[in-house]
Each structure stands twice: as C-alpha cells, then as structure tokens.
C-alpha cells in the first residue's frame, strides 16, 4: 500500500476502533505525524492514564505500552511492533531486585519507568527522567535503591545531596555510545552552540552539557533559548520536531550512535495492521498490575 493510502486507512480504522495513537519522541517522523500525542515517557503515561478512548496504540517500546496497560486496565493496549523492547529494562529482574532489597532493608526502591511490570511491582515509586529528582526528594528514606539506569541515578545523586543512592548498574545502550572525545570535537566545530543532553548519557558527557533533561524538556529548552546553534545529546528522533518547530535554528546530533533500533521498529504498516487485526495486545497479570500500579500512581501524584 502507498504511504498516503496507509495513512487514510489508519485514520479510518482509528475512528472505527475508538483508538488513540500515542508516540514517543524517538519514533520515526511518519509515526510522529499520524500520532494524536507525541511526548516523553511521563507525558505519554499521563495520557494513557486519562484517555477516554477504548484502544491505545502505543508507538514506542514494550515497557511504555505495558505502563499504559497498568494504568488503564480496561483499555485494549496495542504495541504495533511486537518485538520493540528496551535493552535497559531487561538489565533488571524482579528476582535480582528482591535480593538487593534484602541486602538493604532500610532502603526505598525508586524505579525508572524503563523497567518491566514485575520490577515496578517491587518498587515503592516510579520515576521518569523528567521527574526523577522530585521523586527521589519526595521519598522519606535516607537510603534509596535506584534501578536500572546508573547514569540517571548518578545525575539524581548530584542534585539530592541528603540521600544515599545505591545504584543499579544498568544503562541505555544508545546513550552510552556517546564518547567524551566526540563531545569535545563537536563543541570545537560549533563553539557558540548550546549542548542539550539526556541524563541517560555517561556522567562525563553530562558534565559537559549546558542543559540536562528528558526528551520533552530538551525540546522545550531548544524552543526557548535564543541560540541558533544547538547540539542534541539524545536519540535522533527528536530532530523531527526540533526542526519543524525551529526552522531558523540549526541542530547537530552529538553522536551518530544516537539511534535506538528498537524505537525505529514501528512503521506505518505495523500501526495499520495493529488496528486492522487488533493485534499485539499487551497483557499484565492482575496481581503484578495492582502492585506496579501503586508505584506508577505514587509517581503521578508528584507532578
Ligand atoms: P524520556 O522521553 O522520558 O526522556 O525517555 C527517554 C528514553 O530513553 C525512553 O526510552
Ligand atoms: Fe531503551 Fe535507550 Fe532505546 Fe530508550 S533509547 S528505549 S532507554 S535503549
């Protein structure tokens, strides 16, 4: 099917099925264009929790669609690219987290949303990169187990001095690719540019940034700063909206490695087939869902 025809079919099916399409900022441009909402993990969770539509088509990776199902159990949640996972989320399991909890019985568990429902069920509260500092500040315990992203955890630890952060050693394979020498080189090439970086990057890279934030915070910052040259230290999908919103500004990707293969798996054809056949539905076992919901709801209370 031609692209135009595919889009028409998706629009038609979306109405018939009473569906909403949510897409993460890292999705390919044509998916961002057909989505009803494009945003960061936090914004998409909020939309998933509050939507009145019967079906949620989640263009992102598995943990995002799973969070949508946890928050909206009565909705049908579809993940068009069935095998779109997040390698970081797979770096922590509920069993290993329970072992860690047994080792630090006084600690609260703060869990990055990039994790499975089983892991969220073991946590006291979830966070995303946009609210991580506020979430950790809200926790009463002095000791905090933070999983799975070590880089986001060390970013939080620098902001929140009165907590003892016990960091899981997980990482984002995409953001970890950025090397300090690449940062220095691109800064030399564009000496007047501002560098906006995601906290999933290594601490040495974070240290060279002018601004650190989630994907949507980076997009907002790029919109608001007067500088015309901006270096982007997160996955390249954000360039679509950045260029669209700021035609007078120039954007440079910090590293060619900033491409998440999993985020690129969803194509128009997948969205069409998901809606046509109502396929690749996400399910979560009810007792796990109840526990994971508590951690997500605690997070949603913060913002
Ligand atoms: P945010 O959009 O919340 O910053 O998430 C980044 C990310 O890597 C999602 O997988
Ligand atoms: Fe996971 Fe990193 Fe891809 Fe986000 S960008 S889905 S954290 S691998």
């Amino acid at each position: 099917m031609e692209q135009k025809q595919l889009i028409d079919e998706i629009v038609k099916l979306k109405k018939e099925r009473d569906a909403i399409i949510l897409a993460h900022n890292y999705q390919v441009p044509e998916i961002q264009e057909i989505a009803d909402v494009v945003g960061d993990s936090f914004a998409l969770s909020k939309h998933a929790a509050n939507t009145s539509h019967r079906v949620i088509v989640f263009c992102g990776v598995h943990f995002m669609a799973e969070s949508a199902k946890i928050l909206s159990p009565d909705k049908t949640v579809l993940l068009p690219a069935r095998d779109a996972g997040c390698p970081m989320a797979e770096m922590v399991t509920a069993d290993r987290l329970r072992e860690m909890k047994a080792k630090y019985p006084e600690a609260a568990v703060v869990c990055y949303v990039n994790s499975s429902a089983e892991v969220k069920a073991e946590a006291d509260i979830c966070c995303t990169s946009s609210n991580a500092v506020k979430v950790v500040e809200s926790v009463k315990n002095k000791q905090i187990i933070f999983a799975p992203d070590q880089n986001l955890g060390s970013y939080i630890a620098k902001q929140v001095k009165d907590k003892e952060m016990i960091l899981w050693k997980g990482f984002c394979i995409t953001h970890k690719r950025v090397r300090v020498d690449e940062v220095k080189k691109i800064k030399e090439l564009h000496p007047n540019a501002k560098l906006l970086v995601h906290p999933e990057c290594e601490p040495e890279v974070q240290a060279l940034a002018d601004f650190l934030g989630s994907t949507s915070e980076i997009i907002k910052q790029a919109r608001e700063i007067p500088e015309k040259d901006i270096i982007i230290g997160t996955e390249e999908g954000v360039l679509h909206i950045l260029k669209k919103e700021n035609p007078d500004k120039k954007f440079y990707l910090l590293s060619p490695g900033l491409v998440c293969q999993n985020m690129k798996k969803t194509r128009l054809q997948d969205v069409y087939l998901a809606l046509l056949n109502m396929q690749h539905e996400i399910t979560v076992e009810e007792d796990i869902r109840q526990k994971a919901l508590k951690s997500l709801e605690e997070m949603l209370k913060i913002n």
Side-chain angles (χ1 to χ4, degrees):
M1 226 186 278
E2 298 265 311
Q3 175 152 326
K4 162 92 181 63
Q5 203 183 341
L6 261 181
I7 293 169
D8 291 346
E9 287 297 320
I10 290 170
V11 171
K12 201 175 95 199
L13 282 167
K14 209 173 67 158
K15 268 206 196 108
E16 280 173 26
R17 306 284 194 219
D18 185 19
I20 183 170
I21 301 180
L22 305 182
H24 187 264
N25 288 320
Y26 294 160
Q27 291 290 291
V28 295
E30 58 271 30
I31 295 293
Q32 295 193 31
E33 289 297 316
I34 50 130
D36 298 292
V37 182
V38 183
D40 66 3
S41 310
F42 185 67
L44 295 177
S45 293
K46 277 210 301 205
H47 274 280
N50 298 326
T51 184
S52 58
H53 292 274
R54 211 177 54 81
V55 176
I56 299 171
V57 180
F58 214 116
C59 301
V61 290
H62 186 270
F63 75 80
M64 296 180 170
E66 195 178 55
S67 295
K69 183 67 186 178
I70 295 166
L71 290 161
S72 284
D74 301 336
K75 315 280 176 190
T76 301
V77 179
L78 306 175
L79 179 68
R82 189 179 34 182
D83 63 340
C86 169
M88 184 208 285
E90 284 156 28
M91 292 177 191
V92 54
T93 62
D95 279 348
R96 285 185 54 217
L97 186 54
R98 275 192 288 269
E99 282 168 25
M100 180 82 115
K101 282 166 72 170
K103 210 169 144 190
Y104 298 100
E106 303 296 316
V109 178
V110 177
C111 165
Y112 193 26
V113 287
N114 299 38
S115 54
S116 67
E118 288 79 7
V119 167
K120 288 183 178 79
E122 290 297 324
D124 294 291
I125 185 166
C126 288
C127 76
T128 73
S129 53
S130 68
N131 59 22
V133 171
K134 275 192 206 161
V135 165
V136 168
E137 280 172 346
S138 78
V139 175
K140 292 200 173 62
N141 310 41
K142 189 162 169 47
Q143 256 188 350
I144 290 175
I145 297 170
F146 185 82
D149 188 11
Q150 189 175 18
N151 290 343
L152 178 61
S154 68
Y155 162 73
I156 303 165
K158 283 193 193 98
Q159 319 282 316
V160 190
K161 301 274 191 233
D162 62 332
K163 302 282 182 200
E164 186 196 328
M165 302 279 290
I166 301 149
L167 305 182
W168 200 267
K169 289 190 169 51
F171 55 87
C172 164
I173 57 166
T174 307
H175 289 85
K176 201 183 170 67
R177 286 192 203 115
V178 180
R179 301 188 319 265
V180 169
D181 63 294
E182 287 178 304
V183 184
K184 290 187 175 154
K185 208 166 144 195
I186 201 163
K187 279 187 139 197
E188 269 168 34
L189 276 172
H190 308 286
N192 298 322
K194 286 284 177 208
L195 172 61
L196 317 185
V197 165
H198 197 282
E200 285 177 12
C201 287
E202 296 282 289
E204 297 76 19
V205 173
Q206 293 182 22
L208 297 169
D210 295 299
F211 176 82
L212 287 161
S214 77
T215 53
S216 289
E217 287 168 335
I218 287 176
I219 291 165
K220 181 169 181 278
Q221 184 72 5
R223 193 188 302 135
E224 289 173 357
I225 58 176
E227 282 79 6
K228 299 282 181 215
D229 280 2
I230 300 174
I231 306 166
I232 294 296
T234 193
E235 211 272 351
E236 65 89 41
V238 298
L239 293 173
H240 175 62
I241 193 153
L242 286 171
K243 288 178 182 168
K244 211 166 120 176
E245 281 190 349
N246 308 280
D248 59 328
K249 297 188 181 182
K250 275 204 180 114
F251 295 98
Y252 308 96
L253 194 64
L254 179 54
S255 161
L258 280 166
V259 180
C260 172
Q261 295 306 336
N262 282 286
M263 282 287 183
K264 303 300 175 211
K265 283 182 176 164
T266 315
R267 300 289 159 165
L268 287 175
Q269 177 81 4
D270 304 308
V271 177
Y272 165 67
L273 289 175
L275 279 166
L276 181 72
N277 303 322
M278 293 298 282
Q279 66 187 22
H280 309 325
E281 186 177 345
I282 299 290
T283 56
V284 183
E285 216 186 289
E286 187 53 20
D287 66 323
I288 296 286
R289 191 193 72 78
Q290 291 282 354
K291 290 181 195 152
L293 178 65
K294 276 198 191 132
S295 307
L296 281 168
E297 281 181 340
E298 284 303 312
M299 169 185 87
L300 292 173
K301 278 187 209 159
I302 301 287
N303 273 345

